[in-house]
Amino acid sequence: MIPAAKPIIGDEERAAVDRVLATGQLAQGTEVAAFEQEFGDQVVGGRTCIAVNSGTSGQHLGLLAAGIGPGDEVIVPSFTFAATANSVALTGATPVFADIEAGSFCLDPAAVEAAVTPRTKGVMPVHLYGHPADMTRLQEVADRHGLMVFEDAAQAHAASWQGRPVGSFGTFAMFSLYPTKNMTSGEGGMVACEGDVARRVRLLRNQGMEKQYENELVGLNNRMTNIHAAIGRVQLTKLAGWTKQRQDNARFFDESIEGVGLPPVADGATHVYHQYTIRVPGDRDRFAQALREEHGVGCGVYYPIPNHRLPSFGLELDLPETERAAREVLSIPVHPSLSQDDLETVVAAVNACAKAGA
Ligand SMILES: *Cc1c(COP(=O)(O)O)cnc(C)c1O
């Protein structure tokens, strides 16, 4: 079976963990500070980065630090992982679901504008599958209505829009370091931001205190450990090579797969292919089952139920591109540990299933 995703953990990560364990300094310390500095320099053009224990924590703290709370609305896509809307709801604010573009699977700026109300404080695009959202048009909408922009960059390390890295646009941006993401620290997240927001994220991460036992805010314990940071630092040195491998794999698929919808790349977008996601207009679930059971090709549906219809939100809304994507999408393996043989197996399997379905 060719796995749908595969974290790559090598001897260097093991040695880095050993080195931290030998120091006895396990909780947040110098290793975390070094990881923050290196991640900021390498991924978001030198912007301040703050490490936390998960992407979800980062998103939650970023929203709290930006002043989002009860009575506020934040516009989010419904076609995403539940953490996007959950983090808004957990601040006491209301996530307002807007539709996506047919091409990029990311928030549609026109749909965002139509969803603005007097309570809207911000919009949180997701750079889904590693494809950047249209930050130019989203920023224009935000400027017209005085909104903040928050980036869910959980899947988009090293992606860019018009040459500018994702994570450098919003009031804050969150990157996830979960094992299946483009790089990992085990569990973890990074928040890119600056100024007062950065100061508040740091405080909220650590019980609201900068000086020990002189707590300024009501906060949480969302700290990253030195152990996780040590893994993340090694992974960061490999990110550029892995990203290029994902892009090369995607180019091979673009040139060789037939009979299904291929993922388009918008003008000015650098896609980092967290997922390579095709559209299967017929019976997608049967197609996925055949890929797995008849061809040994792992695959995944991200995401089968739009967030607004999850039991946790339970809303009835008219979001046609969201519904169509949830019915049609299928992500095939594109990760950097695929061999040329694997790539050819994936292509042959997808093409055979497409032909059988046609
Ligand atoms: C993974 C992910 C998150 C949450 O990140 P965790 O590190 O798992 O908490 C949020 N949004 C999106 C789009 C994700 O893919």
Side-chain angles (χ1 to χ4, degrees):
M1 189 83 169
I2 299 174
K6 188 172 176 216
I8 306 174
I9 298 293
D11 293 341
E12 286 172 85
E13 282 86 344
R14 266 190 220 104
V17 169
D18 260 353
R19 182 168 45 72
V20 170
L21 294 178
T23 67
Q25 308 289 315
L26 308 187
Q28 179 185 298
T30 54
E31 202 71 35
V32 172
F35 185 30
E36 292 173 335
Q37 182 70 43
E38 290 159 4
F39 191 95
D41 288 346
Q42 213 178 299
V43 180
V44 286
R47 201 176 194 198
T48 299
C49 278
I50 301 161
V52 287
N53 59 349
S54 77
T56 307
S57 300
Q59 212 162 18
H60 184 208
L61 297 194
L63 288 163
L64 291 173
I68 299 299
D72 298 336
E73 294 177 356
V74 177
I75 299 170
V76 297
S78 179
F79 190 64
T80 175
F81 183 54
T84 313
N86 282 352
S87 61
V88 174
L90 283 171
T91 68
T94 303
V96 173
F97 297 100
D99 211 354
I100 53 169
E101 299 178 325
S104 69
F105 299 105
C106 297
L107 263 185
D108 176 354
V112 169
E113 187 143 41
V116 172
T117 76
R119 293 174 172 242
T120 311
K121 289 285 161 51
V123 52
M124 184 146 60
V126 179
H127 305 303
L128 198 70
Y129 305 144
H131 187 295
D134 183 338
M135 298 310 288
T136 310
R137 288 175 58 220
L138 286 166
Q139 190 63 57
E140 284 166 10
V141 172
D143 289 346
R144 269 199 292 280
H145 299 277
L147 312 180
M148 289 181 277
V149 176
F150 313 125
E151 297 177 73
D152 182 332
Q155 307 185 352
H157 319 66
S160 62
W161 176 254
Q162 309 292 354
R164 187 172 154 187
V166 305
S168 69
F169 291 89
T171 298
F172 77 85
M174 172 279 285
F175 294 88
S176 168
L177 300 167
Y178 184 75
T180 58
K181 302 290 160 83
N182 289 26
M183 60 172 283
T184 185
S185 60
E187 290 264 14
M190 242 346 142
V191 185
C193 51
E194 54 221 16
D196 282 350
V197 173
R199 176 173 153 73
R200 280 197 292 275
V201 170
R202 267 201 205 91
L203 284 169
L204 290 165
R205 166 180 72 172
N206 186 30
Q207 313 286 4
M209 68 185 174
E210 187 176 321
K211 257 178 109 185
Q212 204 169 20
Y213 308 134
E214 294 186 19
N215 309 51
E216 299 171 44
L217 299 175
V218 176
L220 293 147
N221 172 2
N222 285 345
R223 298 183 301 261
M224 179 181 275
T225 72
N226 271 350
I227 305 166
H228 293 86
I231 299 171
R233 291 181 72 191
V234 175
Q235 295 258 312
L236 186 60
T237 66
K238 301 176 181 172
L239 178 65
W242 286 340
T243 300
K244 182 172 182 305
Q245 192 62 56
R246 286 177 182 274
Q247 291 165 334
D248 289 348
N249 294 348
R251 190 166 323 114
F252 182 72
F253 290 157
D254 286 342
E255 288 163 1
S256 333
I257 290 178
E258 290 168 356
V260 295
L262 301 181
V265 180
D267 270 353
T270 301
H271 194 334
V272 295
Y273 295 99
H274 171 60
Q275 300 292 350
Y276 187 94
T277 302
I278 60 174
R279 283 184 186 266
V280 181
D283 187 339
R284 186 268 320 273
D285 293 336
R286 205 186 53 181
F287 192 107
Q289 190 182 2
L291 266 189
R292 289 190 197 104
E293 291 174 11
E294 292 165 32
H295 300 274
V297 172
C299 53
V301 174
Y302 314 107
Y303 298 88
I305 307 174
N307 284 201
H308 70 277
R309 289 205 279 109
L310 292 172
S312 45
F313 292 106
L315 299 172
E316 276 182 47
L317 301 168
D318 184 29
L319 304 176
E321 286 301 336
T322 295
E323 297 293 349
R324 187 166 74 91
R327 263 193 324 269
E328 295 183 350
V329 294
L330 185 63
S331 298
I332 59 176
V334 71
H335 50 82
S337 33
L338 297 171
S339 65
Q340 185 60 34
D341 266 5
D342 292 336
L343 291 169
E344 282 166 21
T345 301
V346 172
V347 168
V350 171
N351 289 352
C353 291
K355 211 162 186 183

